[in-house]
Amino acid sequence: MPTPETSGLLAEQLLRLTRRLHRAQKRYMEPLGITPAQSRLLRTVAHDDQPPRMADLARRLEVVPRAVTTLVDALEAHGSVRRVPDPTNRRVVRVELTDTGRSTLRALREARRAAAEDILAPLGDQQRETLGELLNTLSGTPDQRC
């Protein structure tokens, strides 16, 4: 049975690794002019079949609506998204990707992969597969390829 010390050490190692990965991703994203929060919003918009409402984005991102407004403002200035009226309710605003946004998402995916490769470089194929299985077990999610 694991000891509290072992669990505490593992938690600290996971936090350090998460911070390291976050810094690496930020470094690779910087030339794209996109922050990690903006990247997350772009990915969220891209996963919907129809343009999501601002309120839906706030709920999915677990942020206050004002934060979504700020992110959308910046991404709109970047040319990655645009606000569009809801066809059934003129008071509702939806957010859709532009062609620039789709290109930016492709570049962001490559930036995330490069950052992950920096972190995972010391691991061999079998170690990566094992790590992936362990992380899926811990996160409670099935294998997802990005």
Side-chain angles (χ1 to χ4, degrees), residues 29-101:
M29 282 188 235
E30 200 168 25
L32 302 174
I34 299 289
T35 67
Q38 292 167 349
S39 168
R40 204 167 151 232
L41 186 133
L42 279 176
R43 289 193 318 270
T44 302
V45 170
H47 281 102
D48 276 3
D49 293 336
Q50 65 176 356
R53 298 177 316 147
M54 300 277 282
D56 294 334
L57 289 170
R59 184 180 42 77
R60 286 190 206 129
L61 296 172
E62 298 177 343
V63 299
V64 296
R66 177 71 192 128
V68 169
T69 300
T70 302
L71 290 170
V72 170
D73 286 348
L75 287 169
E76 203 169 30
H78 185 266
S80 294
V81 300
R82 70 178 144 251
R83 288 174 169 91
V84 294
D86 184 289
T88 61
N89 184 344
R90 66 186 179 133
R91 293 176 296 167
V92 173
V93 174
R94 295 187 175 269
V95 179
E96 70 180 7
L97 286 178
T98 63
D99 289 341
T100 298

Side-chain angles (χ1 to χ4, degrees), residues 7 12 23 26 40 48 58 61 80 95 112 126 131 136:
S7 295
E12 183 58 35
R23 283 190 308 270
K26 193 173 177 181
R40 204 167 151 232
D48 276 3
L61 296 172
S80 294
V95 179
R112 286 175 57 214
Q126 184 59 46
L131 178 61
N136 283 333

